Amino acid sequence: MSSTLKNLSSYDHSKVPDASEMIFGIVVSEWNLEITNSLLEGAIRTLKLHGAKDKNIEIKWVPGSFELSLGGQFFVEYRDVDAVICLGCVIQGETRHFDFICQGISYGITDLNLNNNIPFIFGVLTTDNQQQAIDRSGGKHGNKGDEAAITAIKMAALQREMEE
Ligand code: DLZ
């Protein structure tokens, strides 16, 4: 979640490694589609800005954010990727569903990170309302998709560096 001090799209471009030889999977949720489409646009734009090629970015849709973890797992099982970006948006409703979904995703993505030797990025907005989600998907607080893409590039580069 962004704060008033941090814009999700602000970062030091000179500190971002070259992504031209990296392969990315993106799993994106159909729930809150307008928001997740904006997250996806931000992520793709940012990956390409740092050299990623279209042919090396594969996008798969899942029904809701709860399914992001399994969608991410499929990328490890069936593809050869350097990083997987998980994009979703969970907005607080009247019931405790929000808590269960958020907990499921954060545990799920943490498990993926620790049990597979590639980074899985938590590009999920968890907001109190629609306006907060709009503000963080290309609005006044930037775009969580940009932040997720930068994180994916940096973590994939870190892994390569340590592998050498
Ligand atoms: C069911 C549900 C609800 C109430 N809210 C959201 C949401 O705000 N964001 C989201 O990505 N998904 C939501 N879902 C769907 C769940 O993530 C999941 O797809 C279903 O519970 C089926 O497993």
Side-chain angles (χ1 to χ4, degrees), residues 122-140:
F122 189 94
V124 182
L125 290 171
T126 56
T127 64
D128 291 336
N129 54 53
Q130 179 87 6
Q131 188 58 51
Q132 287 180 345
I134 291 168
D135 292 345
R136 290 157 178 80
S137 55
K140 68 180 181 186

Side-chain angles (χ1 to χ4, degrees), residues 24-74:
F24 299 95
I26 303 181
V27 197
V28 54
S29 160
E30 291 167 0
W31 259 79
N32 300 310
L33 190 60
E34 273 187 35
I35 303 289
T36 58
N37 257 326
S38 299
L39 298 176
L40 179 62
E41 279 171 25
I44 294 171
R45 188 184 53 240
T46 303
L47 290 175
K48 287 166 78 170
L49 187 68
H50 293 283
K53 300 180 181 94
D54 274 321
K55 70 176 172 73
N56 289 337
I57 303 172
E58 184 174 9
I59 298 148
K60 293 291 178 197
W61 289 86
V62 292
S65 293
F66 192 79
E67 285 72 42
L68 288 171
S69 308
L70 184 57
Q73 171 94 358
F74 289 158

Side-chain angles (χ1 to χ4, degrees), residues 29 31-32 63-69 88-93 95-109 122 124-127:
S29 160
W31 259 79
N32 300 310
S65 293
F66 192 79
E67 285 72 42
L68 288 171
S69 308
C89 172
V90 195
I91 300 177
Q92 177 74 274
T95 69
R96 292 190 61 211
H97 213 84
F98 175 89
D99 300 317
F100 292 119
I101 294 174
C102 293
Q103 192 177 51
I105 310 165
S106 60
Y107 286 168
I109 295 180
F122 189 94
V124 182
L125 290 171
T126 56
T127 64

